[in-house]
Amino acid sequence: MKTADQIAFNMARVRSSGSKIECTLGKALWGAGIRYRKQYKRVVGKPDFVLVTLKIAIFCDSSFWHGRDYPKTATQFKSNRDFWLPKIQRNIERDKQVGHILKDADWIVLRFWEDAILEDADGCVHAVLEAIEQRTSSK
């Protein structure tokens, strides 16, 4: 079992950019010839990847931080539940709000869970290519 100091050490090193899932999807997108902007601050929610001219926002969601299978996974939190449960709930709600705002502004929003990226990055790229096709065929 990890000590509180070990957990704090690990959590302090979590960054918003350059994660394994982001790098994996970025390489797959680049390899498919898809050019993007990373962590584009001009778009609500600062998506991990943005195709600006096509108005496509791509998010790489980790299961932990974005609450996959929540509230079932909420039972896994054994310590500091008063901090973690509201934090994950806020993240889930913020993801929904950002999605609604972007869709209302005519953006295509794609969200990929970390396991989908790590197990099938090509499938994620295929979904992005379909979104690009959808956007370009409607113009």
Side-chain angles (χ1 to χ4, degrees):
M1 182 159 182
K2 293 184 180 182
T3 67
D5 288 339
Q6 289 170 321
I7 293 169
F9 179 83
N10 291 339
M11 297 311 266
R13 273 136 192 84
V14 174
R15 301 291 176 240
S16 65
S17 181
S19 67
K20 182 177 181 179
I21 58 175
E22 187 179 301
C23 291
T24 300
L25 184 58
K27 287 178 183 179
L29 291 170
W30 196 265
I34 300 170
R35 301 301 178 248
Y36 52 81
R37 294 203 182 261
K38 284 180 67 174
Q39 304 287 328
Y40 197 56
K41 294 176 185 167
R42 293 183 183 178
V43 176
V44 174
K46 201 166 82 168
D48 297 298
F49 303 101
V50 177
L51 311 180
V52 180
T53 56
L54 297 173
K55 293 181 81 173
I56 298 174
I58 304 165
F59 294 89
C60 303
D61 291 343
S62 74
S63 297
F64 177 82
W65 293 109
H66 295 271
R68 183 156 193 192
D69 296 330
Y70 197 84
K72 184 175 98 176
T73 56
T75 60
Q76 295 174 352
F77 294 96
K78 302 297 182 203
S79 62
N80 209 5
R81 291 175 58 86
D82 292 339
F83 172 78
W84 286 113
L85 297 180
K87 179 171 182 58
I88 301 301
Q89 290 168 341
R90 282 191 313 269
N91 290 349
I92 293 168
E93 188 57 38
R94 186 180 59 245
D95 290 345
K96 289 178 187 175
Q97 289 172 346
V98 166
H100 290 306
I101 291 167
L102 289 173
K103 287 176 184 173
D104 289 346
D106 197 35
W107 281 76
I108 294 175
V109 178
L110 300 173
R111 289 190 171 275
F112 299 111
W113 288 110
E114 68 179 306
D115 60 332
I117 294 169
L118 296 175
E119 293 171 12
D120 187 19
D122 291 337
C124 298
V125 169
H126 181 72
V128 173
L129 290 170
E130 286 178 351
I132 291 170
E133 178 63 30
Q134 175 188 343
R135 185 63 81 187
T136 55
S137 66
S138 66
K139 287 187 176 184

